[in-house]
Amino acid sequence: MKKWRRMLKYIDKLSLFFLFLSIANYAIAQDDIDLEEIDSTKIEFEFIPKSFRVGMDMVGLVKTLSQNEYTELEITSDIAVDKYFLNFEYGILERNRVGDSINYFVNGTFLRVGLDFNFLKNDPDGNAFFFGVKYALGKSNHSLDFNYTDPIFGSISESREVNAINARWFEINTGIKVKLFWEIWLGFTGRLKFALKHDNTIVLDPYEIPGYGFSEQKVMWGFDYYVFYRIPFSKRKTQLPTEK
Amino acid sequence: MQEFIINQVKKKQLIIFFAILFIGVACIDESDCSYETTREVKFSFVDSGTLQTDTLQIDSIVIVGFDSAYYLNSTRSKISLPINPIVNETSYFFNLVVGEIDFSIVLGYEIMPRVLSEECGIEPEIKQLYVISHDVDSVVVVNNTFNEEVETNVKVYR
Protein backbone atom coordinates (compact mmCIF):
# COMPACT_ATOMS: atom_id res chain seq x y z
CA MET A 1 0.00 0.00 0.00
CA LYS A 2 2.84 2.34 0.96
CA LYS A 3 4.62 1.55 -2.30
CA TRP A 4 1.47 2.31 -4.28
CA ARG A 5 1.05 5.65 -2.52
CA ARG A 6 4.67 6.53 -3.23
CA MET A 7 4.26 5.47 -6.84
CA LEU A 8 1.13 7.63 -7.18
CA LYS A 9 2.98 10.58 -5.70
CA TYR A 10 5.85 10.02 -8.11
CA ILE A 11 3.51 9.73 -11.10
CA ASP A 12 1.76 12.89 -9.91
CA LYS A 13 5.01 14.83 -9.80
CA LEU A 14 6.13 13.54 -13.16
CA SER A 15 2.75 14.34 -14.73
CA LEU A 16 2.90 17.93 -13.48
CA PHE A 17 6.41 18.26 -14.85
CA PHE A 18 5.34 16.99 -18.27
CA LEU A 19 2.27 19.23 -18.18
CA PHE A 20 4.59 22.19 -17.82
CA LEU A 21 6.68 20.91 -20.66
CA SER A 22 3.60 20.61 -22.87
CA ILE A 23 2.49 24.15 -21.94
CA ALA A 24 6.00 25.36 -22.75
CA ASN A 25 5.80 23.60 -26.08
CA TYR A 26 2.42 25.21 -26.73
CA ALA A 27 3.79 28.64 -25.83
CA ILE A 28 6.72 28.23 -28.19
CA ALA A 29 4.35 27.17 -30.94
CA GLN A 30 2.17 30.22 -30.34
CA ASP A 31 5.17 32.50 -30.32
CA ASP A 32 6.29 30.99 -33.61
CA ILE A 33 2.82 31.44 -35.12
CA ASP A 34 2.79 35.13 -34.17
CA LEU A 35 6.20 35.63 -35.68
CA GLU A 36 5.29 33.80 -38.85
CA GLU A 37 2.28 36.06 -39.26
CA ILE A 38 4.44 39.16 -39.09
CA ASP A 39 7.82 38.24 -40.45
CA SER A 40 10.65 35.93 -39.69
CA THR A 41 13.39 38.58 -39.65
CA LYS A 42 16.17 37.49 -37.30
CA ILE A 43 16.64 39.57 -34.14
CA GLU A 44 20.19 39.70 -32.92
CA PHE A 45 21.22 38.68 -29.43
CA GLU A 46 21.45 41.66 -27.03
CA PHE A 47 23.71 41.45 -24.00
CA ILE A 48 22.30 44.66 -22.53
CA PRO A 49 20.25 44.22 -19.32
CA LYS A 50 16.70 45.36 -20.11
CA SER A 51 15.10 45.39 -16.69
CA PHE A 52 15.35 44.48 -13.04
CA ARG A 53 12.37 42.88 -11.38
CA VAL A 54 11.87 42.23 -7.68
CA GLY A 55 9.01 40.25 -6.24
CA MET A 56 7.60 38.53 -3.22
CA ASP A 57 6.08 35.10 -2.84
CA MET A 58 2.40 35.44 -1.94
CA VAL A 59 1.93 31.82 -0.82
CA GLY A 60 4.47 32.20 1.98
CA LEU A 61 3.14 35.64 2.91
CA VAL A 62 -0.46 34.40 3.20
CA LYS A 63 0.65 31.39 5.25
CA THR A 64 2.72 33.66 7.49
CA LEU A 65 -0.25 35.96 8.10
CA SER A 66 -2.81 33.20 8.55
CA GLN A 67 -0.96 30.51 10.51
CA ASN A 68 0.45 30.51 14.00
CA GLU A 69 4.10 29.69 14.54
CA TYR A 70 4.82 29.88 10.83
CA THR A 71 6.97 32.39 8.96
CA GLU A 72 7.88 31.90 5.33
CA LEU A 73 9.04 34.89 3.35
CA GLU A 74 10.71 34.79 -0.01
CA ILE A 75 12.04 37.55 -2.22
CA THR A 76 12.85 36.92 -5.84
CA SER A 77 14.62 39.08 -8.38
CA ASP A 78 15.63 38.81 -11.98
CA ILE A 79 17.64 40.74 -14.50
CA ALA A 80 16.40 40.37 -18.07
CA VAL A 81 19.13 40.02 -20.65
CA ASP A 82 17.85 39.26 -24.12
CA LYS A 83 15.77 36.07 -23.76
CA TYR A 84 17.33 35.10 -20.43
CA PHE A 85 16.60 35.97 -16.82
CA LEU A 86 19.39 35.88 -14.29
CA ASN A 87 17.65 34.99 -11.01
CA PHE A 88 18.45 35.51 -7.36
CA GLU A 89 16.02 34.32 -4.73
CA TYR A 90 16.34 34.56 -0.97
CA GLY A 91 13.99 33.24 1.65
CA ILE A 92 13.50 32.48 5.31
CA LEU A 93 11.46 29.81 7.01
CA GLU A 94 10.57 29.47 10.67
CA ARG A 95 8.13 26.75 11.53
CA ASN A 96 6.89 24.78 14.50
CA ARG A 97 5.29 21.38 13.97
CA VAL A 98 3.41 20.18 17.01
CA GLY A 99 1.91 16.72 17.41
CA ASP A 100 0.80 14.55 20.32
CA SER A 101 4.32 13.30 20.91
CA ILE A 102 6.59 15.80 19.12
CA ASN A 103 7.42 19.46 18.96
CA TYR A 104 9.69 20.08 16.00
CA PHE A 105 11.11 23.53 15.26
CA VAL A 106 13.07 24.57 12.20
CA ASN A 107 14.39 27.94 11.19
CA GLY A 108 16.73 28.81 8.40
CA THR A 109 17.50 30.69 5.23
CA PHE A 110 18.03 29.72 1.62
CA LEU A 111 19.41 31.25 -1.55
CA ARG A 112 18.74 30.22 -5.14
CA VAL A 113 20.71 31.35 -8.17
CA GLY A 114 19.92 30.38 -11.72
CA LEU A 115 19.14 31.16 -15.30
CA ASP A 116 15.75 31.04 -17.05
CA PHE A 117 15.07 30.96 -20.75
CA ASN A 118 12.14 33.08 -21.89
CA PHE A 119 10.11 31.47 -24.67
CA LEU A 120 8.15 34.68 -25.30
CA LYS A 121 11.01 37.02 -26.05
CA ASN A 122 9.03 38.81 -28.74
CA ASP A 123 6.00 39.61 -26.61
CA PRO A 124 5.49 43.41 -26.92
CA ASP A 125 4.74 43.82 -23.18
CA GLY A 126 7.62 41.64 -22.17
CA ASN A 127 5.44 38.88 -20.70
CA ALA A 128 7.45 35.77 -20.05
CA PHE A 129 7.00 32.06 -20.18
CA PHE A 130 10.23 30.63 -18.87
CA PHE A 131 12.06 27.43 -18.21
CA GLY A 132 15.30 27.27 -16.25
CA VAL A 133 17.61 25.71 -13.75
CA LYS A 134 18.72 26.84 -10.31
CA TYR A 135 21.27 25.92 -7.71
CA ALA A 136 20.14 26.40 -4.13
CA LEU A 137 21.94 26.67 -0.81
CA GLY A 138 20.49 26.71 2.66
CA LYS A 139 21.45 26.83 6.31
CA SER A 140 19.08 25.80 9.09
CA ASN A 141 18.69 25.00 12.78
CA HIS A 142 16.50 22.17 14.05
CA SER A 143 15.21 21.22 17.48
CA LEU A 144 12.97 18.37 18.57
CA ASP A 145 11.20 17.57 21.84
CA PHE A 146 9.72 14.11 21.72
CA ASN A 147 8.11 11.33 23.71
CA TYR A 148 8.56 7.79 22.53
CA THR A 149 7.06 4.61 23.96
CA ASP A 150 8.64 1.30 23.09
CA PRO A 151 6.35 -1.73 23.57
CA ILE A 152 9.15 -3.66 25.33
CA PHE A 153 11.46 -1.20 27.03
CA GLY A 154 9.15 1.64 28.09
CA SER A 155 9.03 5.38 27.47
CA ILE A 156 11.46 8.22 26.99
CA SER A 157 11.15 12.03 26.78
CA GLU A 158 14.06 13.88 25.27
CA SER A 159 15.15 17.05 23.54
CA ARG A 160 17.59 17.21 20.65
CA GLU A 161 19.03 20.17 18.78
CA VAL A 162 21.30 20.63 15.77
CA ASN A 163 22.47 23.96 14.39
CA ALA A 164 23.93 25.29 11.16
CA ILE A 165 22.95 22.35 8.97
CA ASN A 166 24.09 23.14 5.43
CA ALA A 167 22.02 21.95 2.49
CA ARG A 168 22.23 22.26 -1.28
CA TRP A 169 20.07 21.08 -4.14
CA PHE A 170 19.15 21.74 -7.77
CA GLU A 171 15.86 22.88 -9.28
CA ILE A 172 14.21 22.80 -12.66
CA ASN A 173 11.78 25.72 -12.86
CA THR A 174 9.07 26.81 -15.20
CA GLY A 175 6.39 29.48 -14.99
CA ILE A 176 5.03 32.74 -16.25
CA LYS A 177 5.49 36.46 -15.55
CA VAL A 178 2.65 38.66 -16.77
CA LYS A 179 2.31 42.45 -16.69
CA LEU A 180 -0.76 43.58 -14.71
CA PHE A 181 -0.54 47.37 -14.91
CA TRP A 182 2.15 50.10 -14.71
CA GLU A 183 5.22 48.15 -13.65
CA ILE A 184 3.37 45.67 -11.46
CA TRP A 185 3.73 42.06 -12.55
CA LEU A 186 2.25 38.75 -11.49
CA GLY A 187 3.80 35.34 -11.93
CA PHE A 188 4.06 31.81 -10.77
CA THR A 189 6.89 29.34 -10.68
CA GLY A 190 6.63 25.58 -10.57
CA ARG A 191 9.69 23.89 -9.13
CA LEU A 192 11.06 20.40 -9.38
CA LYS A 193 13.66 20.11 -6.62
CA PHE A 194 16.16 17.29 -6.57
CA ALA A 195 19.66 16.06 -5.65
CA LEU A 196 19.44 17.30 -2.07
CA LYS A 197 22.55 16.94 0.02
CA HIS A 198 22.71 18.05 3.63
CA ASP A 199 24.97 17.72 6.65
CA ASN A 200 24.30 14.57 8.63
CA THR A 201 24.47 14.33 12.37
CA ILE A 202 23.78 11.44 14.67
CA VAL A 203 21.94 13.78 17.06
CA LEU A 204 18.92 14.54 14.90
CA ASP A 205 17.90 13.87 11.33
CA PRO A 206 16.60 17.18 9.84
CA TYR A 207 12.96 16.67 8.93
CA GLU A 208 12.39 19.79 6.86
CA ILE A 209 14.93 21.83 4.91
CA PRO A 210 13.90 25.49 4.38
CA GLY A 211 13.40 26.14 0.67
CA TYR A 212 13.42 22.45 -0.20
CA GLY A 213 10.84 20.67 1.94
CA PHE A 214 10.97 17.20 3.46
CA SER A 215 14.58 16.09 3.60
CA GLU A 216 13.74 12.42 3.00
CA GLN A 217 12.05 13.09 -0.33
CA LYS A 218 14.44 12.61 -3.24
CA VAL A 219 12.26 14.83 -5.43
CA MET A 220 10.11 17.69 -4.14
CA TRP A 221 7.55 19.71 -6.04
CA GLY A 222 6.76 23.34 -5.24
CA PHE A 223 4.72 26.31 -6.42
CA ASP A 224 5.25 29.99 -5.76
CA TYR A 225 2.98 32.85 -6.74
CA TYR A 226 4.78 36.18 -7.01
CA VAL A 227 3.88 39.85 -7.24
CA PHE A 228 6.72 41.80 -8.85
CA TYR A 229 7.77 45.37 -9.34
CA ARG A 230 9.80 45.95 -12.50
CA ILE A 231 12.37 48.65 -13.07
CA PRO A 232 13.02 49.01 -16.80
CA PHE A 233 16.49 50.14 -17.86
CA SER A 234 15.08 51.60 -21.07
CA LYS A 235 11.63 52.81 -22.07
CA ARG A 236 11.83 50.92 -25.35
CA LYS A 237 9.37 48.05 -25.79
CA THR A 238 10.45 44.82 -27.43
CA GLN A 239 10.84 45.56 -31.11
CA LEU A 240 8.79 43.39 -33.38
CA PRO A 241 9.85 42.97 -36.96
CA THR A 242 7.83 45.20 -39.28
CA GLU A 243 5.18 43.84 -41.60
CA LYS A 244 6.03 43.54 -45.27
CA MET B 1 -8.05 24.79 -38.57
CA GLN B 2 -5.21 26.20 -36.47
CA GLU B 3 -7.73 27.57 -33.96
CA PHE B 4 -9.44 24.17 -33.78
CA ILE B 5 -6.12 22.44 -32.99
CA ILE B 6 -5.25 25.04 -30.32
CA ASN B 7 -8.70 24.58 -28.75
CA GLN B 8 -8.24 20.82 -28.72
CA VAL B 9 -4.81 21.22 -27.08
CA LYS B 10 -6.33 23.56 -24.47
CA LYS B 11 -9.13 21.08 -23.72
CA LYS B 12 -6.67 18.23 -23.39
CA GLN B 13 -4.50 20.30 -21.05
CA LEU B 14 -7.51 21.17 -18.91
CA ILE B 15 -8.49 17.51 -18.64
CA ILE B 16 -4.91 16.52 -17.75
CA PHE B 17 -4.71 19.37 -15.24
CA PHE B 18 -7.87 18.35 -13.40
CA ALA B 19 -6.91 14.68 -13.51
CA ILE B 20 -3.56 15.54 -11.96
CA LEU B 21 -5.23 17.80 -9.42
CA PHE B 22 -7.56 14.97 -8.45
CA ILE B 23 -4.68 12.51 -7.99
CA GLY B 24 -2.72 15.19 -6.14
CA VAL B 25 -5.56 15.93 -3.73
CA ALA B 26 -6.13 12.20 -3.21
CA CYS B 27 -2.48 11.81 -2.24
CA ILE B 28 -2.35 14.73 0.18
CA ASP B 29 -2.10 14.09 3.90
CA GLU B 30 -2.17 10.32 3.89
CA SER B 31 -0.13 9.65 6.97
CA ASP B 32 1.69 6.37 7.00
CA CYS B 33 2.98 5.64 10.46
CA SER B 34 4.97 2.55 9.54
CA TYR B 35 8.63 2.38 10.51
CA GLU B 36 11.38 1.98 7.96
CA THR B 37 13.81 0.28 10.31
CA THR B 38 13.54 -2.43 12.94
CA ARG B 39 14.67 -2.38 16.53
CA GLU B 40 15.98 -5.93 16.44
CA VAL B 41 19.56 -7.09 16.30
CA LYS B 42 20.24 -10.31 14.39
CA PHE B 43 22.94 -12.59 15.76
CA SER B 44 24.48 -15.52 13.96
CA PHE B 45 26.80 -17.97 15.68
CA VAL B 46 30.06 -19.33 14.32
CA ASP B 47 32.34 -22.06 15.66
CA SER B 48 35.67 -20.25 16.12
CA GLY B 49 37.61 -23.49 15.57
CA THR B 50 36.07 -24.66 12.30
CA LEU B 51 34.47 -21.34 11.21
CA GLN B 52 31.32 -23.33 10.49
CA THR B 53 27.83 -22.48 11.70
CA ASP B 54 27.51 -22.99 15.43
CA THR B 55 24.26 -24.19 16.96
CA LEU B 56 23.26 -23.03 20.42
CA GLN B 57 21.33 -25.22 22.86
CA ILE B 58 19.51 -22.33 24.52
CA ASP B 59 17.91 -22.54 27.92
CA SER B 60 16.91 -18.84 27.88
CA ILE B 61 18.12 -15.44 26.75
CA VAL B 62 17.65 -12.52 29.11
CA ILE B 63 17.84 -8.85 28.12
CA VAL B 64 18.53 -6.21 30.74
CA GLY B 65 15.54 -3.91 31.03
CA PHE B 66 13.01 -6.55 30.06
CA ASP B 67 11.57 -9.11 32.49
CA SER B 68 10.71 -11.95 30.13
CA ALA B 69 13.18 -14.41 28.64
CA TYR B 70 13.54 -15.27 24.95
CA TYR B 71 14.08 -18.51 23.05
CA LEU B 72 13.26 -20.82 26.00
CA ASN B 73 14.58 -24.36 25.50
CA SER B 74 15.37 -23.99 21.83
CA THR B 75 18.16 -24.81 19.40
CA ARG B 76 19.27 -21.99 17.08
CA SER B 77 22.18 -20.93 14.93
CA LYS B 78 20.63 -17.51 14.23
CA ILE B 79 18.51 -15.42 16.54
CA SER B 80 16.85 -12.06 16.49
CA LEU B 81 16.62 -10.05 19.72
CA PRO B 82 15.13 -6.64 20.56
CA ILE B 83 17.51 -3.75 21.05
CA ASN B 84 16.64 -1.10 23.62
CA PRO B 85 15.86 2.21 21.84
CA ILE B 86 15.54 4.08 25.13
CA VAL B 87 19.18 3.82 26.24
CA ASN B 88 22.48 3.61 24.34
CA GLU B 89 23.38 0.03 25.25
CA THR B 90 21.72 -3.37 25.59
CA SER B 91 23.05 -6.36 27.55
CA TYR B 92 22.21 -9.90 26.45
CA PHE B 93 22.71 -12.95 28.71
CA PHE B 94 22.75 -16.27 26.90
CA ASN B 95 21.91 -19.09 29.33
CA LEU B 96 22.66 -22.40 27.64
CA VAL B 97 21.75 -25.95 28.60
CA VAL B 98 23.79 -27.87 31.18
CA GLY B 99 27.21 -28.76 29.78
CA GLU B 100 27.56 -25.60 27.66
CA ILE B 101 29.13 -22.35 28.87
CA ASP B 102 26.83 -19.38 29.34
CA PHE B 103 27.99 -16.06 27.89
CA SER B 104 26.97 -12.42 27.65
CA ILE B 105 27.30 -9.65 25.08
CA VAL B 106 26.87 -5.91 25.63
CA LEU B 107 26.18 -3.81 22.54
CA GLY B 108 26.47 -0.03 22.31
CA TYR B 109 24.91 2.28 19.69
CA GLU B 110 23.56 5.73 18.97
CA ILE B 111 19.84 6.46 18.80
CA MET B 112 18.74 9.02 16.25
CA PRO B 113 15.13 10.22 16.34
CA ARG B 114 13.65 10.45 12.85
CA VAL B 115 10.46 12.51 12.59
CA LEU B 116 7.73 10.64 10.70
CA SER B 117 5.05 13.34 10.95
CA GLU B 118 3.18 15.40 13.51
CA GLU B 119 0.60 12.61 13.79
CA CYS B 120 2.99 9.67 13.88
CA GLY B 121 5.75 11.15 16.05
CA ILE B 122 9.25 9.76 15.76
CA GLU B 123 10.97 6.54 14.85
CA PRO B 124 14.14 5.85 16.86
CA GLU B 125 16.85 4.70 14.46
CA ILE B 126 19.71 2.60 15.73
CA LYS B 127 23.05 3.80 14.33
CA GLN B 128 26.74 3.03 14.76
CA LEU B 129 26.39 -0.32 16.49
CA TYR B 130 29.51 -1.52 18.32
CA VAL B 131 30.54 -4.14 20.87
CA ILE B 132 31.12 -2.90 24.40
CA SER B 133 32.00 -6.23 26.01
CA HIS B 134 31.63 -9.99 25.67
CA ASP B 135 32.97 -13.22 27.17
CA VAL B 136 33.26 -15.42 24.08
CA ASP B 137 36.14 -15.73 21.57
CA SER B 138 35.06 -12.85 19.38
CA VAL B 139 32.03 -10.70 18.53
CA VAL B 140 32.00 -8.74 15.27
CA VAL B 141 29.47 -6.21 13.96
CA VAL B 142 29.03 -7.13 10.29
CA ASN B 143 26.09 -4.89 9.38
CA ASN B 144 24.91 -1.61 10.86
CA THR B 145 21.59 -1.56 9.04
CA PHE B 146 18.44 -2.53 10.87
CA ASN B 147 15.68 -3.75 8.59
CA GLU B 148 13.84 -6.92 7.56
CA GLU B 149 16.20 -7.65 4.66
CA VAL B 150 19.39 -7.80 6.72
CA GLU B 151 20.28 -11.36 7.72
CA THR B 152 23.03 -10.74 10.27
CA ASN B 153 24.09 -7.70 12.29
CA VAL B 154 26.45 -9.42 14.71
CA LYS B 155 28.55 -12.57 14.32
CA VAL B 156 29.42 -14.40 17.52
CA TYR B 157 32.50 -16.66 17.48
CA ARG B 158 32.78 -19.16 20.34
Side-chain angles (χ1 to χ4, degrees):
Chain A
M1 193 65 187
K2 196 177 173 186
K3 274 186 181 175
W4 274 107
R5 280 177 180 166
R6 276 188 182 169
M7 202 176 283
L8 268 176
K9 270 187 182 176
Y10 187 65
I11 291 166
D12 194 28
K13 283 165 188 167
L14 270 180
S15 309
L16 280 168
F17 177 66
F18 284 114
L19 177 69
F20 272 117
L21 280 184
S22 67
I23 295 169
N25 188 35
Y26 171 64
I28 297 162
Q30 268 210 324
D31 205 28
D32 287 347
I33 291 161
D34 292 342
L35 278 178
E36 276 171 27
E37 281 171 359
I38 302 162
D39 199 347
S40 58
T41 310
K42 196 181 170 187
I43 297 169
E44 284 185 11
F45 192 90
E46 293 174 279
F47 282 100
I48 305 149
K50 285 190 286 191
S51 66
F52 173 74
R53 195 163 15 206
V54 62
M56 189 165 200
D57 174 34
M58 292 295 111
V59 177
L61 186 66
V62 169
K63 279 183 175 176
T64 301
L65 295 172
S66 63
Q67 293 182 18
N68 289 328
E69 299 183 278
Y70 188 100
T71 306
E72 184 187 0
L73 298 170
E74 189 182 324
I75 290 168
T76 182
S77 65
D78 69 66
I79 298 166
V81 181
D82 198 74
K83 53 191 153 193
Y84 299 95
F85 295 120
L86 183 60
N87 289 285
F88 298 94
E89 295 172 353
Y90 178 80
I92 59 164
L93 176 75
E94 199 172 296
R95 181 175 200 171
N96 213 17
R97 290 176 178 271
V98 182
D100 290 341
S101 62
I102 65 160
N103 188 343
Y104 175 78
F105 178 76
V106 56
N107 75 322
T109 57
F110 56 92
L111 176 75
R112 300 187 189 108
V113 182
L115 200 68
D116 291 336
F117 179 83
N118 181 11
F119 294 111
L120 304 179
K121 190 210 164 189
N122 298 310
D123 188 279
D125 286 325
N127 295 322
F129 187 102
F130 62 88
F131 188 89
V133 289
K134 287 189 182 71
Y135 179 67
L137 293 162
K139 188 167 256 189
S140 52
N141 306 315
H142 308 256
S143 70
L144 174 70
D145 302 327
F146 67 93
N147 301 314
Y148 173 74
T149 302
D150 184 81
I152 297 171
F153 296 100
S155 300
I156 186 173
S157 291
E158 214 178 301
S159 296
R160 301 272 181 113
E161 190 177 323
V162 285
N163 292 319
I165 296 288
N166 292 299
R168 59 192 187 279
W169 65 94
F170 288 93
E171 292 186 6
I172 294 174
N173 298 165
T174 186
I176 56 167
K177 290 170 187 173
V178 181
K179 188 174 184 176
L180 275 186
F181 50 85
W182 301 318
E183 292 299 342
I184 304 296
W185 292 63
L186 198 69
F188 79 80
T189 303
R191 305 173 184 280
L192 191 72
K193 309 169 197 181
F194 59 97
L196 172 73
K197 288 195 187 300
H198 64 79
D199 295 344
N200 286 306
T201 71
I202 201 71
V203 179
L204 175 63
D205 192 21
Y207 179 55
E208 186 173 5
I209 301 288
Y212 181 83
F214 299 120
S215 63
E216 288 193 354
Q217 298 287 331
K218 286 183 177 163
V219 176
M220 283 295 294
W221 188 257
F223 281 104
D224 293 304
Y225 293 85
Y226 295 105
V227 172
F228 299 95
Y229 181 75
R230 181 174 174 262
I231 304 161
F233 294 142
S234 78
K235 293 280 180 192
R236 181 172 63 94
K237 278 193 169 185
T238 307
Q239 251 188 345
L240 285 169
T242 51
E243 273 190 76
K244 278 179 185 172
Chain B
M1 183 63 185
Q2 201 174 58
E3 202 177 343
F4 172 76
I5 293 166
I6 289 168
N7 282 338
Q8 288 305 307
V9 171
K10 275 183 182 173
K11 271 184 195 171
K12 264 189 182 175
Q13 282 172 355
L14 267 178
I15 291 163
I16 294 166
F17 178 76
F18 282 110
I20 290 161
L21 200 67
F22 177 76
I23 297 167
V25 169
C27 289
I28 289 170
D29 281 344
E30 25 69 59
S31 292
D32 191 341
C33 293
S34 60
Y35 290 162
E36 283 190 1
T37 60
T38 60
R39 272 140 298 285
E40 281 192 337
V41 61
K42 293 170 185 173
F43 293 90
S44 64
F45 300 96
V46 181
D47 187 318
S48 55
T50 61
L51 296 180
Q52 299 297 309
T53 303
D54 183 18
T55 306
L56 263 64
Q57 306 286 320
I58 303 165
D59 178 53
S60 67
I61 299 170
V62 176
I63 304 168
V64 171
F66 186 55
D67 295 336
S68 303
Y70 285 84
Y71 294 100
L72 293 168
N73 305 312
S74 58
T75 303
R76 302 290 171 109
S77 58
K78 281 185 175 183
I79 54 169
S80 184
L81 291 168
I83 195 161
N84 191 339
I86 307 299
V87 292
N88 289 76
E89 64 175 66
T90 305
S91 302
Y92 302 94
F93 293 93
F94 294 80
N95 303 310
L96 306 184
V97 294
V98 178
E100 293 219 37
I101 304 162
D102 297 347
F103 63 93
S104 65
I105 297 168
V106 181
L107 298 177
Y109 42 86
E110 297 294 333
I111 306 157
M112 187 178 70
R114 187 173 73 88
V115 177
L116 298 173
S117 67
E118 288 102 316
E119 295 79 27
C120 301
I122 65 125
E123 171 187 10
E125 280 191 5
I126 306 297
K127 302 269 185 183
Q128 298 177 0
L129 184 71
Y130 63 98
V131 180
I132 294 176
S133 67
H134 64 83
D135 50 13
V136 287
D137 292 343
S138 174
V139 177
V140 181
V141 174
V142 292
N143 198 325
N144 245 311
T145 312
F146 291 83
N147 60 37
E148 300 292 345
E149 283 80 42
V150 169
E151 286 197 354
T152 303
N153 295 111
V154 177
K155 274 191 176 177
V156 181
Y157 296 84
R158 64 176 202 118

